[in-house]
C-alpha cells in the first residue's frame, strides 16, 4: 500500500459497447493487473449497462444492473457507448436523459471497483482505449472525462490497435522476433490484426494490418453447443486462420474475448499451435492501455526503441524553413509517430518583406518529401510579427492558422487571420 500512498495508481480502461474492463498498475513501470468483479476470479468483463429502479432515482451498473432487470425491478439501458455517439436524448421511465451523462455515470460507477486496490481518488493517470478513435468518439470521451472530475490531467486515449502494440512491447523479446496476430470474434465476423516490425529502420517501425472474415453466429459463452455446431465453428475458425496466417512468419497468436472460451477449438487450435505460441484471454487491451500510459509517463521512452504507425498516428515530420541568425534553418513543428489528434503546436515568428511561408513535409513511410507553400495575401507592413498554429484535422490533413500580432508600438495588430489546409500525401 506504500506505492498507493505515493499516488502512483495508473489505470487503463477498455471501454466497449457490450463490455468494459479496468486494469491498473501501482507505479509507472510496475506490473499490470486487471480488476475482477469477483475477488479471486478472472471475471474481468463489466457489462456496459445501467439499470434504473422504477419510479426511483437509483441506478445500478454492470452485473448488478442485469440482476435488477432480470428480477423486473428496473429499466435496463444497454448500448451506452453507441447511444452517446448518436447523441440523441434517451427516454427512461418517462424522463429524457442525456446519453453522454449516462455513459459518464457508468464510467464513474465502474471506477468504484478500484476500491479493491485504493480508490478512484488515487488515480494519477488514466488511459482510455476503445475499438476506433474518430472525431465523434474523441468528442464523447472528452465529455465523459470532464464529467468524472478526476484529480489529474494525465488523461489520454488510444485505439485497440495501439493497446495491442503497447502490450506486445512489454512482452519478452522473443515474441517480437516474428510477426504476431490477434483475433477477436464479434457477432458474425472474426477480426484479425497482424503486427509486423520493419527492422531495417531506426527506430524499428511497427505496422498493424487489419482484416475481417465472416464467421457463423452462436450464443454466448454459457450456451451449450451441440457437436454439429462445435464442428461448424471449429472448421470455420480453421478456414479463417489459414487465410489470415498462411505464408506469413507468425510467431505468436492471441485469441481475445469470450468468443473463444468454449471447448470447440480442436482442429483450428492444432493448426494455430504449429510452430506458434498461442495465448487466450480477454484483458489484453486494458493492460495495453496501462502500458501505453506508463510509456507516456516515462516521457515516451520506448523500452525497445520502436515506433508504431497506425491510422491514429501522424505519418510525417512537419517543419518550417526559417532564417536563424541570417542562415537558412529547419524548425521542427510536428513529429511523426504521435497521435494525429494530439499533434498541435504554436510558433511566433517574423515575416520580412515577403508574403509566403514554406513547410517541409517528410513522410516516415518512405517516398520523397514535399514543400508546401502558404501565401498570405495583404500582409500589413514590410515586417510583421505572426503567431502560427499548426494542428491536424485528420490523419492526413494539416490545418494552419496564421494570426497577425502587429509590430510592437510601430503597428498594432490588425486582427487578421489566415487559414489553410494542406494534404500531407
Amino acid at each position: 500500500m506504500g506505492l498507493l500512498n505515493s499516488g502512483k495508481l495508473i489505470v487503463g480502461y477498455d471501454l466497449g459497447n457490450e463490455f468494459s474492463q479496468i486494469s491498473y498498475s501501482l507505479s509507472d513501470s510496475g506490473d499490470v493487473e486487471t480488476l475482477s468483479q469477483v475477488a479471486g476470479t478472472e471475471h474481468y468483463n463489466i457489462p456496459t449497462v445501467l439499470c434504473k429502479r422504477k419510479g426511483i432515482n437509483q441506478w445500478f451498473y454492470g452485473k448488478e444492473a442485469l440482476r435488477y432487470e432480470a428480477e423486473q425491478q428496473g429499466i435496463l439501458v444497454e448500448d451506452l457507448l453507441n447511444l452517446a455517439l448518436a447523441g440523441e436524448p434517451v427516454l427512461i421511465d418517462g424522463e429524457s436523459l442525456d446519453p453522454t451523462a449516462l455513459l459518464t455515470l457508468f464510467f464513474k460507477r465502474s471506477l468504484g471497483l478500484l476500491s479493491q486496490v485504493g480508490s478512484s481518488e488515487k488515480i494519477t493517470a488514466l488511459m482510455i482505449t476503445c475499438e476506433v478513435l474518430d472525431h465523434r468518439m474523441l468528442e464523447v470521451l472528452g465529455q465523459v472525462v470532464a464529467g468524472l472530475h478526476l484529480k489529474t490531467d494525465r488523461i489520454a486515449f488510444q485505439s485497440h490497435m495501439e493497446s495491442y502494440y503497447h502490450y506486445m512491447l512489454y512482452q519478452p523479446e522473443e515474441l517480437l522476433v516474428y510477426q504476431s496476430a490477434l483475433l477477436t470474434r464479434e457477432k458474425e465476423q472474426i477480426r484479425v490484426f497482424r503486427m509486423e516490425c520493419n527492422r531495417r529502420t531506426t527506430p524499428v517501425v511497427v505496422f498493424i494490418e487489419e482484416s475481417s472474415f465472416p464467421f457463423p453466429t452462436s450464443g454466448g459463452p454459457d450456451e451449450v453447443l451441440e457437436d454439429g455446431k462445435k464442428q461448424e465453428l471449429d472448421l470455420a475458425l480453421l478456414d479463417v486462420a489459414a487465410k489470415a496466417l498462411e505464408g506469413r512468419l507468425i510467431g505468436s497468436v492471441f485469441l481475445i474475448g469470450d468468443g473463444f472460451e468454449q471447448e470447440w477449438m480442436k482442429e483450428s487450435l492444432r493448426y494455430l499451435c504449429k510452430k506458434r505460441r498461442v495465448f487466450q484471454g480477454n484483458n489484453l487491451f486494458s493492460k495495453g492501455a496501462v502500458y501505453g500510459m506508463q510509456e507516456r509517463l516515462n516521457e515516451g521512452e520506448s523500452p525497445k526503441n520502436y515506433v508504431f504507425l497506425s491510422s491514429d498516428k501522424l505519418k510525417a515530420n512537419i517543419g518550417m524553413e526559417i532564417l536563424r541568425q541570417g542562415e537558412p534553418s529547419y524548425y521542427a513543428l510536428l513529429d511523426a509517430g504521435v497521435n494525429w489528434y494530439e499533434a498541435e503546436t504554436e510558433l511566433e515568428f517574423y515575416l520580412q518583406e515577403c508574403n509566403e511561408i514554406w513547410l517541409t513535409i517528410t513522410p516516415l513511410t518512405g517516398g520523397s518529401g514535399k514543400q508546401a507553400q502558404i501565401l498570405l495575401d495583404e500582409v500589413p507592413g514590410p515586417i510583421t510579427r505572426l503567431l502560427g498554429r499548426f494542428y491536424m484535422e485528420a490523419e492526413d490533413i494539416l490545418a494552419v492558422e496564421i494570426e497577425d500580432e502587429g509590430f510592437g508600438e510601430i503597428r498594432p495588430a490588425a486582427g487578421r487571420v489566415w487559414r489553410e489546409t494542406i494534404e500531407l500525401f
Side-chain angles (χ1 to χ4, degrees), residues 141-205:
L141 293 179
Q143 293 171 2
V144 168
V145 165
L148 295 176
H149 304 293
L150 297 176
K151 296 180 179 179
T152 179
D153 58 357
R154 292 174 174 174
I155 300 172
F157 315 113
Q158 67 185 28
S159 66
H160 278 174
M161 270 204 238
E162 188 166 5
S163 293
Y164 172 33
Y165 160 75
H166 282 294
Y167 180 88
M168 291 300 298
L169 210 59
Y170 283 78
Q171 300 311 301
E173 182 67 35
E174 60 264 23
L175 292 185
L176 289 168
V177 173
Y178 300 106
Q179 296 179 39
S180 172
L182 183 150
L183 281 66
T184 64
R185 181 182 167 194
E186 301 169 7
K187 295 182 179 178
E188 298 180 355
Q189 68 172 357
I190 284 183
R191 297 174 67 201
V192 180
F193 302 91
R194 289 184 293 265
M195 192 176 99
E196 183 175 359
C197 303
N198 181 3
R199 300 185 181 279
R200 296 186 297 273
T201 62
T202 302
V204 175
V205 176

Side-chain angles (χ1 to χ4, degrees), residues 207-391:
F207 300 91
I208 293 181
E209 181 184 73
E210 180 184 354
S211 55
S212 61
F213 301 86
F215 196 75
T217 58
S218 64
D222 296 329
E223 180 190 21
V224 178
L225 298 177
E226 296 182 356
D227 291 342
K229 187 63 175 181
K230 290 180 181 179
Q231 185 177 25
E232 178 191 9
L233 296 175
D234 190 22
L235 293 178
L237 179 58
L238 177 61
D239 183 58
V240 169
K243 290 177 179 177
L245 309 183
E246 194 66 41
R248 300 173 183 271
L249 294 175
I250 305 290
S252 56
V253 177
F254 294 84
L255 305 174
I256 302 302
D258 293 341
F260 297 111
E261 284 192 353
Q262 293 187 338
E263 296 181 358
W264 50 264
M265 297 181 294
K266 293 184 178 179
E267 295 301 320
S268 54
L269 197 59
R270 186 177 293 114
Y271 171 82
L272 288 170
C273 289
K274 285 182 180 178
K275 298 181 181 180
R276 306 181 190 95
R277 296 182 64 183
V278 178
F279 303 88
Q280 194 171 344
N282 66 4
N283 60 340
L284 183 148
F285 295 130
S286 61
K287 280 192 165 187
V290 178
Y291 289 129
M293 181 52 78
Q294 286 180 342
E295 188 169 330
R296 285 179 179 238
L297 296 179
N298 287 321
E299 299 181 346
E301 295 179 6
S302 170
K304 297 183 176 72
N305 197 27
Y306 287 64
V307 62
F308 174 52
L309 291 185
S310 72
S311 59
D312 300 325
K313 298 297 183 179
L314 176 58
K315 298 180 178 64
N317 291 315
I318 302 171
M320 178 187 289
E321 299 295 334
I322 65 172
L323 287 176
R324 201 190 298 256
Q325 297 180 345
E327 296 293 329
S329 177
Y330 173 83
Y331 184 88
L333 294 169
L334 302 176
D335 294 326
V338 301
N339 292 325
W340 66 262
Y341 48 83
E342 294 178 322
E344 180 176 347
T345 191
E346 287 187 351
L347 173 67
E348 190 177 85
F349 59 97
Y350 293 88
L351 203 61
Q352 183 174 354
E353 297 181 346
C354 68
N355 68 335
E356 61 185 17
I357 298 168
W358 286 93
L359 299 182
T360 301
I361 301 169
T362 308
L364 201 64
T365 52
S368 59
K370 71 176 184 178
Q371 300 285 314
Q373 183 187 41
I374 301 172
L375 290 174
L376 310 180
D377 61 303
E378 300 179 4
V379 174
I383 301 179
T384 307
R385 184 164 60 101
L386 302 171
L387 176 66
R389 179 172 174 245
F390 306 85
Y391 62 96

Side-chain angles (χ1 to χ4, degrees), residues 94-165:
E95 185 179 1
S96 180
L97 299 176
D98 177 8
T100 304
L102 292 173
L103 182 61
T104 304
L105 175 61
F106 167 80
F107 208 109
K108 186 179 296 186
R109 291 287 178 87
S110 59
L111 284 178
L113 286 171
L114 288 168
S115 61
Q116 298 176 27
V117 293
S119 76
S120 59
E121 298 292 316
K122 295 283 189 177
I123 296 176
T124 296
L126 170 66
M127 176 70 80
I128 301 174
T129 185
C130 50
E131 183 178 328
V132 177
L133 286 177
D134 54 24
H135 277 293
R136 179 56 184 158
M137 180 67 80
L138 291 168
E139 183 180 13
V140 167
L141 293 179
Q143 293 171 2
V144 168
V145 165
L148 295 176
H149 304 293
L150 297 176
K151 296 180 179 179
T152 179
D153 58 357
R154 292 174 174 174
I155 300 172
F157 315 113
Q158 67 185 28
S159 66
H160 278 174
M161 270 204 238
E162 188 166 5
S163 293
Y164 172 33
Y165 160 75

